[in-house]
Amino acid sequence: MEVPFGKPIEEVYDGVQTGPVLGSGISGVVRLVTHKATGVKYAVKCLDLGLVDTEAGLMQLREEIFIMCQLDHPNIVRLEEVYESHSEIYLVQELCLGGELFDRLDEQPDYHYTEAECARLIKQMLCAVRYLHSKGIIHRDLKLENFLFSSSAQDSELKMIDFGLSKHFRYGEIHQEAVGTPYTVAPEVIRGRYDERCDIWAIGVIAFLLLSGDPPFGGCGGSESLMTVRANILNGSFEFEPAEIWDLVSPTAKEFINTLLVTNPKLRPTATVAQNLTWLEEWAHRSKTDSDNILNPNVVRALVNFKEFSDMRKLLCEVLSFTLLPEQIKDLRKEFETLDIDGSGEISLLSLKQVLVTNAGAGSLGALTEEEVEDIFNAMRVKKTETRIRWHEFIAAGLSQCEVDDRNLRLAFDRLDNDHKGVSIKKQQELHYNTFFSIQRYFDWIRYLHFYISIYVLISFPI
Ligand code: ADP
């Protein structure tokens, strides 16, 4: 993948070298930066190219960027832009303000979560993992540290970060390299032949850790030696101890963990099967009421109207959908969850039919026919070969429900601006980015004022 130089990131963002440090990892430091034109804050991960000695290492880096560019899921951190200087690659990411899952675990009473809260978190992790697997990606390095909370709210969503070790795979293909982090690493990874089920093992370890405060095989800051942790993992030997904690945990939670922590990966469930295990079915929905399963009538109306939009107007909605900030799409996120019946992080035609036909029948719109729902589905789908609606395609269709403001227009303009990078994004074949760039060509000859007026007109009046 080509990541050429272009406009220096410092011209677009403040704080790239001096902003507060949010954290640091193997590849470099992550800083809080501010988009100069709009004041919007982001996290910039600076990848120090000096630390990459080999061509293979550089390839791995490019792979991480390529993978992140393709992902569009509510529980996976969004990569907004990519820049490159002679010494660094900069990944501009959605900012997660809620801190690390690891730190919040420490803040819980007795250093562990309640079952309902744990189930809510595991459900989100599995949703992200299922999505990754459906795209042919294994994470291989899942651990508590890879999950951040989007905001400081109690019910904040989790976001998966860091794909440094992920790579594409074909189902059933066996990978040889042994990678991973001691306390969540799966036995088959230690043995050297593994596939996507190693991520399911990691989820089992995380569930155990969230429910009890301790990892099942040791190795998370505990006193066990690495050899002991390794042997425990290879034997799959763990106990639901201490009793004072585990006696209070439901049998279905223990069954869930036992089902995931099976040493033979072939006997381990897939992410989709794990999502439907009894414990998650019972606990993850506890806080949900019946009204949570009903779509907001305004959103239904927005979706119905969207299918009448001209192609250009749809494209603009798509462009703007990528500029919306978490607080602007909070409500749509709830509606998306209602439509994502199978927990895949995308919307299938079947789910859309199921929810829309019922909702519209019960609401003020009158009953929608299956054909009408299919039309809505087709209107939302940017890439006609895809069989599901992605998160941002849904946001684009529901855009009229969001307060689009000056910042969004500026951001949209800024990202369409010719001198900008995001070329790595352009290189990939995803259509919504292609639409982004086809608009870029379309608007090549105008500057900000024209853009501003055009976008207002196109969004406000049907054409
Ligand atoms: P590495 O891949 O180099 O190990 P990470 O992606 O894990 O780096 O990031 C290191 C730390 O930076 C994280 O543990 C987290 O605290 C912080 N961080 C990373 N991404 C974000 C983000 N999008 N928003 C807020 N903080 C972040």
Side-chain angles (χ1 to χ4, degrees):
M1 187 202 309
E2 186 194 350
V3 186
F5 303 149
K7 192 180 223 174
I9 185 170
E10 289 81 2
E11 282 185 22
V12 187
Y13 294 91
D14 275 328
V16 176
Q17 307 298 344
T18 53
V21 173
L22 294 166
S24 53
I26 308 155
S27 44
V29 67
V30 181
R31 286 184 197 275
L32 180 79
V33 300
T34 309
H35 186 251
K36 286 188 184 182
T38 60
V40 176
K41 302 210 181 302
Y42 292 97
V44 164
K45 187 167 169 176
C46 309
L47 307 173
D48 182 354
L49 297 181
L51 297 175
V52 185
D53 307 319
T54 62
E55 194 56 33
L58 196 60
M59 290 298 287
Q60 185 177 333
L61 207 59
R62 295 198 188 289
E63 190 174 290
E64 176 175 5
I65 295 165
F66 182 70
I67 289 171
M68 289 183 78
C69 287
Q70 295 173 80
L71 304 177
D72 181 13
H73 187 282
N75 296 115
I76 296 178
V77 82
R78 239 185 69 68
L79 177 60
E80 307 282 350
E81 291 196 289
V82 183
Y83 290 80
E84 183 169 346
S85 71
H86 287 279
S87 56
E88 285 175 311
I89 291 179
Y90 305 92
L91 305 180
V92 182
Q93 298 176 354
E94 154 187 14
L95 176 64
C96 300
L97 287 168
E100 293 187 18
L101 176 58
F102 211 103
D103 296 334
R104 266 205 211 180
L105 178 64
D106 268 356
E107 291 160 16
Q108 303 303 309
D110 298 328
Y111 307 108
H112 63 84
Y113 277 101
T114 63
E115 269 192 60
E117 185 58 5
C118 177
R120 185 180 80 85
L121 299 173
I122 293 291
K123 184 180 160 219
Q124 293 177 44
M125 290 179 198
L126 273 174
C127 189
V129 167
R130 171 178 170 172
Y131 176 83
L132 285 189
H133 290 177
S134 77
K135 303 288 170 225
I137 299 163
I138 313 177
H139 192 291
R140 298 191 294 178
D141 192 25
L142 279 179
K143 51 191 186 220
L144 231 49
E145 297 88 318
N146 294 135
F147 291 96
L148 299 182
F149 285 99
S150 174
S151 76
S152 52
Q154 192 61 33
D155 60 350
S156 163
E157 283 210 286
L158 272 185
K159 301 272 179 180
M160 187 194 276
I161 55 164
D162 188 3
F163 301 91
L165 298 172
S166 303
K167 70 191 284 189
H168 282 114
F169 72 108
R170 261 185 246 110
Y171 271 101
E173 191 178 312
I174 302 294
H175 293 282
Q176 301 288 341
E177 312 131 71
V179 289
T181 309
Y183 76 96
T184 50
V185 70
E188 67 272 21
V189 175
I190 298 176
R191 286 195 293 264
R193 286 167 66 83
Y194 59 92
D195 61 14
E196 74 278 4
R197 308 260 175 134
C198 64
D199 289 340
I200 306 300
W201 173 279
I203 296 286
V205 173
I206 293 173
F208 187 108
L209 179 52
L210 292 181
L211 284 169
S212 68
D214 285 312
F217 307 106
C220 185
S223 55
E224 308 84 359
S225 72
L226 262 183
M227 288 307 287
T228 312
V229 177
R230 208 180 132 100
N232 287 344
I233 292 173
L234 285 172
N235 297 329
S237 55
F238 68 94
E239 305 284 346
F240 290 115
E241 284 177 352
E244 64 263 29
I245 288 180
W246 285 102
D247 283 356
L248 303 175
V249 174
S250 70
T252 51
K254 291 178 194 162
E255 188 186 300
F256 178 83
I257 290 168
N258 279 328
T259 312
L260 268 55
L261 294 183
V262 169
T263 51
N264 182 350
K266 291 201 176 75
L267 303 178
R268 214 176 287 150
T270 60
T272 310
V273 172
Q275 279 181 316
N276 293 307
L277 290 173
T278 317
W279 177 62
L280 280 184
E281 291 276 300
E282 273 178 15
W283 289 84
H285 306 291
R286 287 222 163 175
S287 55
K288 275 197 155 189
T289 61
D290 282 349
S291 64
D292 288 337
N293 295 324
I294 295 182
L295 270 189
N296 176 340
N298 293 334
V299 172
V300 180
R301 196 166 294 115
L303 300 185
V304 171
N305 291 342
F306 186 73
K307 74 179 163 51
E308 308 301 336
F309 285 11
S310 68
D311 284 350
M312 180 49 78
R313 196 172 174 202
K314 281 185 198 140
L315 291 183
L316 285 170
C317 289
E318 172 89 2
V319 171
L320 279 173
S321 76
F322 284 97
T323 69
L324 294 171
L325 303 171
E327 70 266 16
Q328 292 176 294
I329 47 180
K330 219 169 60 202
D331 294 341
L332 278 186
R333 173 66 187 117
K334 291 203 185 92
E335 308 299 327
F336 186 78
E337 216 175 329
T338 305
L339 286 165
D340 177 20
I341 293 179
D342 61 5
S344 61
E346 295 177 304
I347 304 170
S348 67
L349 177 59
L350 194 72
S351 312
L352 194 70
K353 275 187 186 165
Q354 211 168 315
V355 177
L356 276 187
V357 171
T358 323
N359 268 265
S364 56
L365 285 170
L368 284 175
T369 64
E370 293 209 355
E371 288 71 35
E372 280 172 310
V373 177
E374 271 171 42
D375 286 347
I376 294 172
F377 186 82
N378 288 330
M380 280 200 269
R381 229 169 11 147
V382 174
K383 200 173 185 175
K384 298 304 173 202
T385 49
E386 297 264 341
T387 55
R388 289 168 168 268
I389 305 295
R390 291 160 161 246
W391 170 219
H392 276 81
E393 288 171 344
F394 174 74
I395 299 175
L399 196 78
S400 58
Q401 300 307 300
C402 306
E403 302 268 322
V404 175
D405 61 29
D406 185 57
R407 287 175 309 180
N408 304 114
L409 300 177
R410 278 178 175 274
L411 270 173
F413 176 78
D414 209 58
R415 295 207 177 131
L416 294 170
D417 193 353
N418 249 341
D419 294 341
H420 262 235
K421 278 296 105 285
V423 176
S424 55
I425 292 172
K426 186 173 159 187
K427 278 278 157 192
Q428 51 136 349
Q429 299 304 307
E430 294 301 299
L431 198 77
H432 50 244
Y433 288 114
N434 286 346
T435 60
F436 205 87
F437 286 100
S438 63
I439 294 176
Q440 181 180 337
R441 281 194 296 277
Y442 178 76
F443 282 117
D444 238 353
W445 55 276
I446 60 165
R447 297 309 298 166
Y448 185 61
L449 192 60
H450 293 89
F451 174 80
Y452 207 82
I453 295 166
S454 310
I455 211 161
Y456 256 133
V457 171
L458 285 163
I459 293 300
S460 313
F461 307 104
I463 53 171

